Amino acid sequence: MNIPFYKMTGSGNDFIIIDNRDGKMNDFNLKDFIPKVCARCVSVGADGLILIENSDKVDFKWQFFNADGSSAEMCGNGSRCAARFAYLNGIAGKKMKFETIAGIIEAEIMDGFNVKVQLTEPFDEKIDYEIEVLGEKLTVSSINTGVPHVVVEVKDDIYSFDVVKYGREIRFHDVYKPAGTNVNFFKKIGENKLKVRTYERGVENETMACGTGSVATSIIAVKKGIVNSPVEIETSSGLILKVYLEDKKVFLEGEARVVYTGNLNKEALEY
Ligand SMILES: N[C@H](CCC[C@H](N)C(=O)O)C(=O)O
């Protein structure tokens, strides 16, 4: 086995990206392969894995998988990394479109490592309702920005908040069954600036950034009059994402860096 791949990071949300336009991955049992190669310390390690595929409609198509091997309709940070991968590999120009389960994503290569993507139109917006979590009544909001997100404003210290304890409870809460949800905790930390920490479905942990979660949180916080667009998001990595809300169009901008390129050999899976 000798599979070329890129390891990329979108503001700390990290991905393995493989060009599968020749179908080299089609004979793999992805349900087994992806969790193995996304496991940290014993293999490459990543929050997700992206397969770049051919499209007869737009520049390319992708398949997105979370670290646990589950397929997801969309990934904001992953889409920025996939766009830069496509540009660097001559698959698309600076402005591109690609197919996802959530719909067609438009992306633009900006200055430096920055990529700006237009997400699909959000839906299922619900502002301020109560759910019971660990015996407490929590006021939450929710919205789908390509994938489902719950958004919770944290009144005390966001930096020491137990994201995994509360995130896990809400992620699997009966209200969100069967699909489950991602969970975002936020606090205003400046003029039109939010700190957002996300417990991600399919990673089952806090990730260092979540693109669709940053957009979901920004939409809810603007609706509640807490900030105005464009919104600056300080992610868990400390790196900044920018969210632009223009009527029904939502844009996400931030860095998408190539950490390294490599060739996956069979030892990476033999554990
Ligand atoms: N974990 C998400 C998909 C990835 C979302 C996140 N990495 C982003 O940047 O949008 C889900 O299964 O709904």
Side-chain angles (χ1 to χ4, degrees):
M1 182 175 83
N2 187 354
I3 302 169
F5 72 95
Y6 275 45
K7 182 73 189 306
M8 294 188 73
T9 179
S11 308
N13 209 187
D14 63 339
F15 308 97
I16 295 163
I17 303 187
I18 297 171
D19 185 345
N20 191 41
R21 291 177 299 159
D22 61 2
K24 69 169 80 69
M25 297 307 294
N26 294 354
D27 296 337
F28 277 75
N29 171 355
L30 295 177
K31 280 283 181 210
D32 176 54
F33 175 79
I34 291 169
K36 277 212 164 228
V37 75
C38 285
R40 300 191 186 282
C41 306
V42 290
S43 193
V44 175
D47 290 332
L49 184 141
I50 296 166
L51 297 181
I52 303 294
E53 311 280 1
N54 288 311
S55 166
D56 54 14
K57 287 189 278 190
V58 287
D59 294 293
F60 63 94
K61 180 176 178 179
W62 84 351
Q63 292 187 72
F64 178 84
F65 302 91
N66 286 306
D68 68 356
S70 61
S71 170
E73 304 87 332
M74 179 48 193
C75 175
N77 290 323
S79 66
R80 298 188 299 98
C81 290
R84 187 145 186 268
F85 175 93
Y87 175 67
L88 293 173
N89 286 277
I91 300 169
K94 285 203 167 188
K95 289 191 177 184
M96 66 189 82
K97 293 182 182 179
F98 62 96
E99 291 181 72
T100 74
I101 297 173
I104 301 289
I105 298 298
E106 297 189 34
E108 182 174 358
I109 304 299
M110 311 298 278
D111 294 340
F113 301 125
N114 270 8
V115 180
K116 187 173 183 179
V117 293
Q118 181 180 346
L119 301 192
T120 48
E121 189 174 340
F123 62 96
D124 269 354
E125 177 186 301
K126 298 185 186 77
I127 304 280
D128 289 349
Y129 58 94
E130 274 195 350
I131 60 171
E132 187 163 322
V133 178
L134 296 169
E136 298 172 47
K137 287 208 177 303
L138 275 188
T139 299
V140 304
S141 299
S142 51
I143 188 167
N144 190 302
T145 49
V147 288
H149 284 278
V150 167
V151 175
V152 188
E153 186 172 11
V154 171
K155 300 297 185 193
D156 44 28
D157 180 17
I158 181 80
Y159 292 90
S160 61
F161 184 80
D162 193 338
V163 166
V164 172
K165 178 181 172 188
Y166 285 91
R168 191 166 285 154
E169 286 299 316
I170 300 172
R171 150 84 175 102
F172 292 103
H173 197 288
D174 287 347
V175 169
Y176 305 109
K177 285 196 165 129
T181 183
N182 301 279
V183 191
N184 304 272
F185 301 94
F186 82 95
K187 187 165 193 171
K188 182 176 181 178
I189 59 171
E191 186 66 25
N192 299 328
K193 187 170 184 180
L194 305 174
K195 176 74 178 181
V196 177
R197 297 179 62 193
T198 306
Y199 179 94
E200 268 201 54
R201 176 180 75 167
V203 180
E204 304 312 336
N205 207 334
E206 178 180 4
T207 55
M208 291 295 102
C210 181
T212 51
S214 296
V215 171
T217 304
S218 299
I219 293 168
I220 300 298
V222 165
K223 281 284 166 68
K224 287 163 63 84
I226 299 168
V227 290
N228 293 308
S229 172
V231 185
E232 256 194 36
I233 303 291
E234 181 186 291
T235 66
S236 297
S237 69
L239 293 166
I240 299 295
L241 287 171
K242 279 197 93 168
V243 176
Y244 304 84
L245 307 177
E246 294 160 19
D247 299 329
K248 291 194 179 310
K249 290 186 176 181
V250 293
F251 300 87
L252 172 70
E253 184 176 2
E255 60 140 36
R257 275 180 297 116
V258 179
V259 178
Y260 60 86
T261 61
N263 285 289
L264 197 64
N265 65 43
K266 64 184 177 52
E267 285 185 35
L269 304 173
E270 289 179 344
Y271 66 90

